[in-house]
Amino acid sequence: GENVEQHPSTLSVQEGDSAVIKCTYSDSASNYFPWYKQELGKRPQLIIDIRSNVGEKKDQRIAVTLNKTAKHFSLHITETQPEDSAVYFCAASLYTGNQFYFGTGTSLTVIP
Amino acid sequence: EAQVTQNPRYLITVTGKKLTVTCSQNMNHEYMSWYRQDPGLGLRQIYYSMNVEVTDKGDVPEGYKVSRKEKRNFPLILESPSPNQTSLYFCASSLGLANYEQYFGPGTRLTVT
């Protein structure tokens, strides 16, 4: 099966700074890469996703980049705000959105 | 309101006592899935279903069963729960048909003693 590794496990940044979370995957057949945000005690919510035929995608302060050759993808959050504090999970999907493999999560703290 | 619901939200049970966690969605989604979340391990997929009567194993299916008799419901069954199944369980659904955005339910906190 697929193996997704996520780094760092914890990340603290000053408000206004950028945050970058990196994930690697092992199976070149993976073709869909979502990122989820999970606030304390809440359910995961999709914040951005990217498919294997795209190298970069942006949505306001959030961007995701994908390097298929190196099998890694990254989440970039610019101008961080305290409400960005949460646990972020990356995932990789095999077989077109059927099987999902998640990273172990990054706890992001934005210091006001 | 479009949503995924799970019941119960919290459950404490004993080893070996069969239980079912229900999951229902009102968005006419084709795809549904179950995950368990454990500290330091992220979310791990248990089972998924592409459509009615079509289910398949995820990464950690041992000790679990599912069924998909109706499009909106996807119950998770633990025939003989064990303490290592103590976890936070999430149901999720997506439209399918090349739309993979998953909507998660609120979670079920299960403790097996």
Side-chain angles (χ1 to χ4, degrees):
Chain A
E2 173 66 281
N3 181 45
V4 177
E5 295 191 357
Q6 183 172 345
H7 299 281
S9 56
T10 60
L11 180 59
S12 291
V13 299
Q14 291 291 139
E15 182 176 358
D17 287 350
S18 295
V20 180
I21 303 170
K22 298 180 179 179
C23 289
T24 61
Y25 62 99
S26 61
D27 197 325
S28 56
S30 291
N31 55 13
Y32 173 66
F33 306 92
W35 285 89
Y36 289 86
K37 176 183 180 182
Q38 186 178 28
E39 297 175 353
L40 191 62
K42 304 285 188 180
R43 70 193 79 186
Q45 289 192 298
L46 181 76
I47 55 171
I48 196 166
D49 57 12
I50 193 167
R51 302 200 183 197
S52 58
N53 58 349
V54 176
E56 183 176 2
K57 185 176 178 180
K58 285 186 180 179
D59 183 3
Q60 300 182 347
R61 296 185 297 109
I62 295 172
V64 57
T65 58
L66 171 65
N67 184 326
K68 284 178 59 180
T69 304
K71 296 201 196 76
H72 68 72
F73 55 113
S74 301
L75 177 71
H76 305 254
I77 306 174
T78 59
E79 300 172 16
T80 54
Q81 302 166 3
E83 51 265 38
D84 293 329
S85 295
V87 178
Y88 291 81
F89 291 98
C90 64
S93 177
L94 281 170
Y95 309 123
T96 320
N98 293 355
Q99 291 182 281
F100 285 84
Y101 295 85
F102 282 75
T104 51
T106 295
S107 178
L108 173 64
T109 302
V110 179
I111 304 164
Chain B
E1 180 191 353
Q3 59 182 346
V4 180
T5 57
Q6 293 178 228
N7 282 292
R9 296 289 313 282
Y10 302 91
L11 179 60
I12 301 173
T13 190
V14 296
T15 299
K17 186 176 181 182
K18 181 179 178 179
L19 66 92
T20 299
V21 183
T22 65
C23 173
S24 184
Q25 50 90 9
N26 63 0
M27 296 173 279
N28 201 36
H29 283 175
E30 302 281 339
Y31 177 93
M32 297 185 76
S33 184
W34 276 103
Y35 298 89
R36 60 177 289 174
Q37 184 175 24
D38 301 289
L41 296 178
L43 292 106
R44 292 179 292 167
Q45 191 173 39
I46 303 170
Y47 270 95
Y48 62 93
S49 169
M50 297 300 294
N51 210 329
V52 175
E53 302 293 0
V54 180
T55 63
D56 213 339
K57 296 178 181 179
D59 201 27
V60 289
E62 296 78 18
Y64 304 95
K65 283 176 57 176
V66 293
S67 69
R68 186 97 181 270
K69 294 185 171 61
E70 306 166 279
K71 196 172 188 178
R72 62 183 293 130
N73 296 323
F74 190 44
L76 180 69
I77 302 156
L78 285 72
E79 295 268 4
S80 183
S82 62
N84 64 12
Q85 293 178 297
T86 292
S87 187
L88 177 60
Y89 291 86
F90 286 102
C91 178
S93 72
S94 71
L95 192 57
L97 303 172
N99 185 327
Y100 313 136
E101 178 178 355
Q102 291 190 82
Y103 295 83
F104 282 79
T108 295
R109 175 76 64 184
L110 172 66
T111 302
V112 184
T113 61

